[in-house]
């Protein structure tokens, strides 16, 4: 009975769908705030944010919760869709769906599937590169008194500048993101993975940047439709609905559904056409 009540009943599935959906809405806000540094911040701020998000223990726990929530939300949505189809195998003799429900509510499964495809490709293009590939380390140019030309240095977590020439000349070597004295097991400092550079190059690539930007914007439009129904529906499924504040919840839902995806979409557009 406990197992059935928690996971098997359609009501329980709707509860889990709502809870994971609202949690993912919170994640979207946090992710958006970090990504907006691509517009309002600089490379250093964005790479510091990326390092914090991949090394802080509390954030790591939240990341795993997010991954689980995405999978659970997707699987739960598929199961609910299948159950609803089985519950009504024969359509009504006269069906005017548009008069009774909005387009987004009738196509949540399709919208969710498209978003899942986007999430997977997005993680392959950025998250996987950040974790499993050898990424360039961030460098900056600094002006040295007495020298006409600026020198290029690696930015380090310890704020200890390392001249690029020290690596090129073999005095230091890079292992992962750390700088070591050549031939010695002596770590000098830790560099920053340059996720900012990877992101900018992805959307400004001469051959694929434009199509990547367009597909990202389309994905955000899909997200907007998904949220336009899902946000308010989550509160209704949880029983948090009352004539006194239903209009407020719907208003907040529409504002969230329009604003958050729009801000996400602006980022690649800004990078490709302006930056």
């Amino acid at each position: 009975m406990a197992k059935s009540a928690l996971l098997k009943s359609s009501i329980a599935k709707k509860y889990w769908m709502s809870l994971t959906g609202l949690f993912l809405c919170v994640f979207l806000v946090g992710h958006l705030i970090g990504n907006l540094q691509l517009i309002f911040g600089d490379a250093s701020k964005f790479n510091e944010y990326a390092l914090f998000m991949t090394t802080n223990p509390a954030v790591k726990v939240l990341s795993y919760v997010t991954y689980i929530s995405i999978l659970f939300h997707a699987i739960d949505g598929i199961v609910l869709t299948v159950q609803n189809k089985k519950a009504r195998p024969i359509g009504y003799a006269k069906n005017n769906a548009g008069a009774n429900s909005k387009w987004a509510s009738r196509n949540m499964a399709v919208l969710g599937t498209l978003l899942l495809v986007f999430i997977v490709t997005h993680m392959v293009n950025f998250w996987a590169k950040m974790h499993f590939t050898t990424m360039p380390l961030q460098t900056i140019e600094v002006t040295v008194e007495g020298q006409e030309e600026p020198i290029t240095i690696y930015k380090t977590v310890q704020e200890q500048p390392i001249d690029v020439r020290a690596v090129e000349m073999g005095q230091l070597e890079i292992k992962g993101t750390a700088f070591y004295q050549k031939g010695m097991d002596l770590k000098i400092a830790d560099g920053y993975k340059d996720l900012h550079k990877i992101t900018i190059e992805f959307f400004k690539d001469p051959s694929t940047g434009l199509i990547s930007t367009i597909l990202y914007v389309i994905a955000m439009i899909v997200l907007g439709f998904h949220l336009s129904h899902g946000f308010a529906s989550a509160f209704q499924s949880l029983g948090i609905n009352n004539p006194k504040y239903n209009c407020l919840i719907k208003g907040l839902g529409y504002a969230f559904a329009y604003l958050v995806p729009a801000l996400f979409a602006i980022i690649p557009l800004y990078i490709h056409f302006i930056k």
Side-chain angles (χ1 to χ4, degrees):
M1 288 295 293
K3 184 177 180 180
S4 175
L6 287 174
L7 295 173
K8 288 189 174 182
S9 72
S10 59
I11 294 177
K13 286 184 176 65
K14 288 182 179 179
Y15 282 146
W16 285 112
M17 176 70 73
S18 302
L19 291 171
T20 53
L22 291 175
F23 173 79
L24 292 173
C25 285
V26 175
F27 161 77
L28 282 175
V29 173
H31 193 48
L32 175 62
I33 292 172
N35 283 6
L36 283 174
Q37 293 182 71
L38 289 163
I39 297 178
F40 301 106
D42 55 21
S44 293
K45 292 295 183 182
F46 185 74
N47 289 332
E48 287 170 6
Y49 153 75
L51 179 65
F52 175 79
M53 294 298 289
T54 54
T55 57
N56 183 275
V59 175
K60 280 188 174 182
V61 172
L62 285 175
S63 296
Y64 291 125
V65 174
T66 302
Y67 306 148
I68 294 170
S69 295
I70 291 172
L71 289 174
F72 203 105
H73 192 77
I75 295 170
D76 205 20
I78 293 170
V79 173
L80 277 172
T81 301
V82 172
Q83 284 183 343
N84 290 337
K85 291 287 185 182
K86 288 182 177 180
R88 191 167 49 192
I90 301 175
Y92 293 124
K94 184 178 180 181
N95 182 19
N96 187 10
N100 301 315
S101 61
K102 294 185 178 181
W103 182 87
S105 67
R106 302 193 307 274
N107 294 277
M108 289 295 281
V110 174
L111 294 170
T113 301
L114 292 174
L115 287 176
L116 186 60
V117 172
F118 166 75
I119 291 170
V120 171
T121 56
H122 188 68
M123 292 185 72
V124 169
N125 290 323
F126 298 102
W127 181 88
K129 286 184 179 179
M130 185 73 176
H131 287 81
F132 304 116
T133 65
T134 301
M135 289 182 58
L137 301 183
Q138 184 186 353
T139 59
I140 56 177
E141 290 189 346
V142 296
T143 302
V144 179
E145 187 177 354
Q147 294 189 20
E148 294 184 2
E149 297 293 329
I151 64 171
T152 304
I153 64 170
Y154 286 103
K155 176 180 169 65
T156 66
V157 177
Q158 293 80 6
E159 298 185 358
Q160 177 182 342
I162 294 179
D163 196 322
V164 169
R165 293 170 296 184
V167 176
E168 295 174 345
M169 296 172 64
Q171 298 171 353
L172 300 176
E173 60 181 337
I174 300 173
K175 298 179 181 179
T177 59
F179 296 90
Y180 284 82
Q181 194 73 39
K182 184 71 173 182
M184 301 174 60
D185 192 24
L186 177 62
K187 186 168 78 169
I188 306 300
D190 297 288
Y192 285 92
K193 289 184 177 182
D194 202 348
L195 185 60
H196 182 274
K197 179 180 180 181
I198 295 295
T199 305
I200 300 300
E201 289 179 348
F202 180 82
F203 288 113
K204 291 188 77 71
D205 186 278
S207 58
T208 62
L210 179 58
I211 187 65
S212 296
T213 300
I214 292 172
L215 290 175
Y216 191 99
V217 172
I218 291 174
M220 292 305 100
I221 293 172
V222 172
L223 175 62
F225 278 113
H226 193 75
L227 290 172
S228 68
H229 172 71
F231 189 94
S233 178
F235 286 92
Q236 183 176 1
S237 296
L238 293 171
I240 308 174
N241 59 333
N242 188 290
K244 293 182 179 179
Y245 46 78
N246 279 348
C247 289
L248 176 62
I249 291 176
K250 287 183 178 180
L252 289 174
Y254 283 126
F256 188 90
Y258 296 142
L259 182 61
V260 171
L263 289 174
F264 269 116
I266 287 171
I267 296 171
L269 291 171
Y270 171 82
I271 292 173
H272 185 80
F273 292 107
I274 300 175
K275 197 172 182 67

